[in-house]
């Protein structure tokens, strides 16, 4: 049966990417060797690293005074690396608390300096994105989360900030255009919208390097990875290769503006059903709804299991909501075809007909 993968992460990848990746595991560039057994210092891998960076630069329009890194440790390690590298010991960093990921980032920053929570949506279980807060010009940086994967909220615009902006874009990078020049640092775990688990994209303004003025362990210092071209130590070769293939795929279908249109179309189809079918209720504030993760509840929660069962029978996978929101979450990352959303909406209609 055809599967429709709405999983929140690791998320769906394009079929052609998986086919190409599986070939490279057996034989890379007709070399008679697997991608997994060649030196990361070889010409074959050098080309993969260079092409991956080139694609990031091109697809996001990264300015020349930024470095593009492929690191390990997930977005979760960035929660610590950001303050280690950007927050001086007696400094204060400003955070907007839009969910548990933001909260985890704050926890790490508190170990390096002071944290100023400018705004939080915890009062409503993070179902909206706070706006209109003041950003103190004394902050070392402002930390934001562009898309709150668990609650299905997304920032539709960024505040004008008097201080450098850092953003966790793990779950919506490459889904819509961003003006990279407005950020000093962007990070994203690859496994939501860019590739497999195992690498984290970091885009850092060179000016921001060595800003905290503290001693930093070598591997946790961005400077090490900029100087080492993301190959100070053995990089996660497979994860980077699959990111490269996914970005090549994105470029081939027209890049970020083209996928944004498709993402908007997919989200409109699903939210339209959520809004018009009395069996379903969206959980996120309408103006802050995410194009990537749509969260919804049944108006008769006693039927949750039955809905899940019907989904499973139709090949609709990964729609169970996160435990902190409950209900359902349909993640519509770049690689999810429009037809998969059509299949889900069709099932939602059938389900409500069957149960009224
Ligand atoms: C998934 C996710 C993370 C955690 O990523 P890891 O790579 O597993 O550490 C952090 N932030 C956001 C917004 C996420 O969606």
């Amino acid at each position: 049966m055809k599967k429709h993968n709405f999983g929140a992460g690791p998320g769906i990848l394009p079929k052609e990417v998986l086919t190409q990746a599986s070939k490279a595991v057996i034989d890379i560039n007709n070399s008679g060797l697997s991608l997994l057994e060649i030196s990361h210092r070889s010409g074959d891998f050098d080309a993969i690293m260079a092409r991956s960076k080139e694609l990031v630069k091109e697809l996001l329009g990264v300015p020349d005074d930024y470095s593009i890194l492929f690191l390990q440790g997930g977005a979760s390690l960035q929660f610590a690396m950001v303050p280690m590298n950007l927050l001086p010991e007696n400094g204060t960093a400003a955070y907007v608390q839009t969910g548990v990921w933001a909260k985890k980032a704050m926890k790490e920053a508190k170990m390096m300096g002071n944290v100023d929570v400018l705004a939080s949506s915890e009062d409503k279980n993070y179902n909206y994105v706070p706006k209109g807060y003041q950003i103190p010009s004394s902050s070392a940086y402002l930390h934001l989360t562009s898309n709150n994967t668990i609650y299905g909220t997304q920032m539709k615009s960024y505040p004008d900030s008097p201080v450098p902006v850092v953003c966790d874009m793990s779950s919506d990078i490459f889904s819509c255009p961003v003006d990279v020049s407005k950020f000093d640092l962007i990070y994203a775990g690859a496994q939501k919208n860019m590739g497999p688990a195992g690498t984290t994209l970091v885009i850092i303004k060179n000016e921001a390097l060595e800003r905290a003025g503290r001693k930093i362990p070598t591997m946790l210092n961005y400077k090490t990875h900029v100087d080492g071209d993301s190959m100070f130590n053995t990089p996660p070769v497979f994860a980077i290769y699959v990111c490269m293939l996914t970005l090549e795929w994105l470029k081939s279908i027209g890049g970020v503006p083209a996928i944004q249109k498709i993402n908007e179309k997919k989200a409109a189809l699903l939210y339209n059903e959520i809004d018009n079918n009395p069996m379903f209720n969206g959980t996120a504030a309408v103006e802050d709804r995410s194009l990537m993760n749509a969260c919804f509840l049944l108006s008769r929660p006693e039927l949750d299991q039955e809905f899940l069962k019907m989904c499973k029978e139709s090949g609709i996978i990964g729609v169970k909501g996160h435990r902190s929101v409950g209900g359902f979450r349909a993640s519509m990352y770049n690689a999810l075809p429009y037809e998969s959303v059509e299949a889900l909406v069709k099932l939602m209609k059938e389900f409500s007909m069957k149960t009224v």
Side-chain angles (χ1 to χ4, degrees), residues 79 95-97 101-111 115 117:
F79 297 163
Y95 278 71
V96 179
Q97 188 184 327
W101 294 123
K103 220 170 149 176
K104 286 183 178 179
M106 287 158 50
K107 181 180 172 219
E108 301 303 307
K110 280 177 194 161
M111 297 186 206
V115 167
V117 188

Side-chain angles (χ1 to χ4, degrees), residues 73-77 79 101 145 147 149 168 170-171 189 191-192 200:
S76 297
L77 184 58
F79 297 163
W101 294 123
T145 311
N147 185 69
T149 327
D168 175 358
S170 292
S171 52
Q191 71 275 16
K192 309 272 166 56
T200 309

Side-chain angles (χ1 to χ4, degrees), residues 111-279:
M111 297 186 206
M112 301 295 141
N114 305 305
V115 167
D116 184 6
V117 188
L118 300 188
S120 168
S121 48
E122 193 174 14
D123 57 334
K124 291 190 176 167
N125 196 31
Y126 303 115
N127 75 354
Y128 68 103
V129 176
K131 295 166 203 80
Y133 42 85
Q134 293 296 315
I135 305 160
S137 54
S138 56
S139 311
Y141 60 84
L142 166 68
H143 182 281
L144 304 168
T145 311
S146 56
N147 185 69
N148 299 285
T149 327
I150 294 174
Y151 315 91
T153 64
Q154 185 175 26
M155 296 185 68
K156 301 296 158 75
S157 64
Y158 293 94
D160 276 323
S161 172
V163 300
V165 183
V166 173
C167 192
D168 175 358
M169 296 193 184
S170 292
S171 52
D172 68 351
I173 191 133
F174 296 110
S175 70
C176 56
V178 281
D179 181 353
V180 175
S181 71
K182 290 208 164 130
F183 302 86
D184 270 34
L185 194 152
I186 291 169
Y187 63 92
Q191 71 275 16
K192 309 272 166 56
N193 212 20
M194 189 173 57
T199 191
T200 309
L201 175 66
V202 172
I203 302 171
I204 183 171
K205 196 173 190 173
N206 294 330
E207 238 177 68
L209 297 170
E210 299 182 294
R211 193 178 271 165
R214 69 159 58 78
K215 281 191 181 162
I216 301 172
T218 311
M219 273 295 284
L220 301 177
N221 193 334
Y222 291 120
K223 182 90 172 28
T224 303
H225 301 289
V226 170
D227 292 347
D229 198 21
S230 293
M231 291 200 266
F232 168 75
N233 69 326
T234 317
V237 293
F238 182 71
I240 294 170
Y241 179 71
V242 182
C243 286
M244 183 195 83
L245 296 179
T246 309
L247 297 177
E248 245 9 310
W249 165 83
L250 179 56
K251 183 176 149 86
S252 76
I253 62 166
V256 175
I259 202 76
Q260 180 188 28
K261 284 211 183 75
I262 298 171
N263 289 335
E264 283 171 351
K265 219 178 126 199
K266 289 187 290 189
L269 180 64
L270 180 54
Y271 284 124
N272 182 57
E273 186 63 21
I274 291 172
D275 289 342
N276 292 309
N277 187 330
M279 179 55 87

